[in-house]
Amino acid sequence: MDQNEKQLEKKLRDRIEANYRSYIQQLQSRPASDLIEQASEIAAVKLVYDELMDCCSAGDAEYLLRFEDPLRLVSDQWLAEQNVSHSDELGHALWNITDKGLGEGEYAMLEPSRDGPEEAGPVTVREFLEQHPGSCFDMMTPGGFVCLTPEKAALLLSGQSVNGHPGDVEYAMEIPAEELLNQEVLNAGFCDGSWHILSDDVHDMEQQAADSPDQGVQLC
C-alpha cells in the first residue's frame, strides 16, 4: 500500500469518526420515544461505523470522501438491503418449535388456568426479572439500551442503579433502579440466550391503555 492510499484511508476514518460523533450528539437531544423508533437505524449506524473504521479499501475511501457524511450514506444503503421479508424463515422456525415441541423443559411455562383462558395483564420490569432469575436481559427503555447479566439483574432488584445508553456506551447515563423496575414490559422475546425486552414508563402505558384497552404483554 503506497502513501497516498494510506492517506485516503486515514482521511476517511477521520471523517467517519466526525460523522459518528455528530450523530451521537443529535441522538442525545431526542426524546426516548424517538430513540425507540430509531433502534434499527442506530444499530445500523454503529455496525457500519465499526466496520468502516477497520476495513475499507483505498478505492472505496476515494469514492466515499466525495460525500460530506459517508457514514449516513453507507448506513442508509445497509438498511435498505436488510429491508427484506423474513416470513419464510420465521415460518420455518415456528414449524420446528411446534412440530418438535421445542422449549418444553427449557423455558418457563404458564400454569393452565382452571377458569379458562385469561388475557395477559401488564407486567412490570421488576416482575419480569423476578420471574426469570439467572437470565440475561437486553432491554430497550425510555432511558436507552440496558444490558443485564444475571448478576447485574440481581443488583438492580436489590436497588442498585444501572446505566443506559443511546447506542454508544461512551454516552451512558444512570437510570435509578426504581425508575426502571416500575416500567411496564411492552414486548419480550427470548433469542440467542437472552431476553429482549421493550419497556415504557407507567404513565405512557396508561395513556396507551386508554387508546387501546386490550393491550397486554406480548411474548414473541
Side-chain angles (χ1 to χ4, degrees):
M1 181 184 299
D2 61 30
Q3 191 63 28
N4 184 52
E5 290 178 337
K6 290 182 179 179
Q7 290 176 350
L8 280 174
E9 293 180 8
K10 182 181 185 305
K11 188 174 181 180
L12 178 63
R13 286 196 297 270
D14 290 344
R15 186 169 302 174
I16 292 294
E17 181 70 32
N19 293 158
Y20 186 67
R21 297 302 169 190
S22 176
Y23 180 73
I24 292 298
Q25 288 177 0
Q26 293 175 20
L27 290 181
Q28 290 180 311
S29 65
R30 303 276 181 87
S33 57
D34 285 359
L35 295 179
I36 292 175
E37 291 295 326
Q38 290 180 259
S40 59
E41 176 193 301
I42 294 171
V45 170
K46 183 64 167 65
L47 182 149
V48 170
Y49 164 75
D50 289 338
E51 292 297 323
L52 289 181
M53 292 298 284
D54 289 334
C55 58
C56 190
S57 70
D60 293 336
E62 184 175 10
Y63 183 84
L64 293 175
L65 284 169
R66 298 166 57 196
F67 299 90
E68 180 179 333
D69 192 344
L71 177 63
R72 175 53 64 89
L73 169 63
V74 181
S75 298
D76 287 349
Q77 181 60 26
W78 171 261
L79 275 174
E81 295 191 12
Q82 309 311 306
N83 189 25
V84 295
S85 173
H86 295 284
S87 58
D88 289 342
E89 292 91 338
L90 181 59
H92 185 265
L94 291 172
W95 179 84
N96 264 326
I97 291 172
T98 56
D99 183 66
K100 299 177 181 178
L102 301 180
E104 295 182 5
E106 298 179 49
Y107 299 90
M109 306 283 287
L110 289 175
E111 293 292 336
S113 173
R114 297 179 180 178
D115 300 324
E118 295 181 358
E119 292 187 1
V123 175
T124 65
V125 170
R126 181 192 301 276
E127 292 169 338
F128 196 92
L129 298 187
E130 290 175 342
Q131 290 168 8
H132 301 88
S135 299
C136 293
F137 303 90
D138 187 3
M139 306 178 62
M140 186 184 299
T141 78
F145 297 97
V146 176
C147 294
L148 299 174
T149 62
E151 294 76 19
K152 288 184 178 180
L155 290 173
L156 175 64
L157 287 170
S158 71
Q160 181 172 309
S161 60
V162 296
N163 287 332
H165 62 85
D168 190 332
V169 294
E170 184 175 343
Y171 298 93
M173 297 169 288
E174 185 176 287
I175 304 176
E178 285 304 307
E179 177 182 324
L180 179 55
L181 291 172
N182 289 329
Q183 291 175 13
E184 296 196 28
V185 176
L186 301 183
N187 188 284
F190 192 85
C191 181
D192 296 331
S194 297
W195 281 102
H196 299 266
I197 298 173
L198 174 65
S199 67
D200 203 355
D201 293 322
V202 174
H203 67 274
D204 292 334
M205 285 290 296
E206 291 174 347
Q207 180 61 46
Q208 293 171 14
D211 298 333
S212 180
D214 295 331
Q215 182 175 359
V217 176
Q218 303 174 10
L219 296 179
C220 59

